[in-house]
């Protein structure tokens, strides 16, 4: 799986940003703008889905991801461990659409494009784990 995506302007379909995984099998993702300048970097732990990861928003403060990203239940915290954003899977257990997500931004730490890029990177990571047949949830 290439784990690539684009974020398009809804008015004219121009590419606002593009995201991808940094290498085959990697748990590092990047988001760049239309001129290929970095916007966001996400690094998920290789030691299990419940381990903290790092999120760097260019021009912003360092952030940490916490929770179980394969279950899509995780929180983004700032350097004081205050929650600033979260993604929660709100789908019923036995659903035809098991990946209904809610993204909540609780502090102005990223733009809408950053938030979409983060959600798409998480989607790509989860799909990659599902395809590998390996469960990495230790929590």
């Amino acid at each position: 799986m290439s784990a690539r995506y684009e974020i398009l302007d809804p008015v004219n379909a121009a590419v606002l940003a593009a995201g991808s995984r940094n290498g085959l099998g990697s748990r590092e993702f990047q988001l760049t703008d239309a001129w290929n300048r970095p916007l966001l970097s996400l690094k998920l732990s290789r030691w299990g889905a419940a381990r903290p990861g790092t999120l760097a928003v260019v021009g912003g403060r360092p952030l940490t991801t916490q929770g179980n990203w394969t279950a899509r239940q995780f929180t983004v915290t700032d350097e004081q461990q205050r929650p600033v954003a979260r993604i929660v899977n709100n789908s019923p257990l036995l659903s035809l659409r098991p990946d209904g997500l809610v993204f909540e931004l609780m502090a102005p730490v990223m733009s809408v494009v950053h938030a979409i890029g983060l959600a798409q990177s998480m989607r790509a990571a989860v799909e990659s784990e599902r395809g590998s047949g390996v469960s990495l949830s230790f929590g």
Side-chain angles (χ1 to χ4, degrees):
M1 175 181 176
S2 66
R4 295 184 185 276
Y5 60 89
E6 292 180 333
I7 301 170
L8 305 177
D9 184 314
V11 175
N12 61 12
V15 175
L16 298 175
S20 64
R21 181 179 20 219
N22 293 340
L24 185 64
S26 171
R27 290 211 180 117
E28 295 182 35
F29 297 84
Q30 66 181 359
L31 180 70
T32 58
D33 67 12
W35 297 273
N36 208 30
R37 295 180 298 214
L39 294 174
L40 177 141
S41 172
L42 173 66
K43 184 176 182 180
L44 300 169
S45 173
R46 295 198 73 57
W47 299 104
R51 306 287 181 156
T54 59
L55 175 63
V57 177
V58 174
R61 53 191 183 203
L63 303 170
T64 302
T65 64
Q66 300 175 335
N68 187 327
W69 56 267
T70 57
R72 296 193 188 188
Q73 304 269 347
F74 80 97
T75 303
V76 178
T77 58
D78 65 12
E79 57 275 354
Q80 282 82 34
Q81 301 302 309
R82 293 181 300 222
V84 295
R86 66 180 168 193
I87 293 179
V88 177
N89 186 331
N90 66 345
S91 295
L93 183 60
L94 299 173
S95 171
L96 295 175
R97 297 188 64 205
D99 296 324
L101 302 177
V102 174
F103 187 97
E104 181 179 353
L105 190 59
M106 301 174 297
V109 295
M110 63 182 81
S111 71
V112 171
V113 171
H114 291 113
I116 293 168
L118 174 58
Q120 289 294 337
S121 293
M122 295 306 300
R123 178 199 50 79
V126 169
E127 287 179 357
S128 177
E129 285 302 310
R130 286 180 181 165
S132 72
V134 176
S135 174
L136 296 176
S137 179
F138 299 137

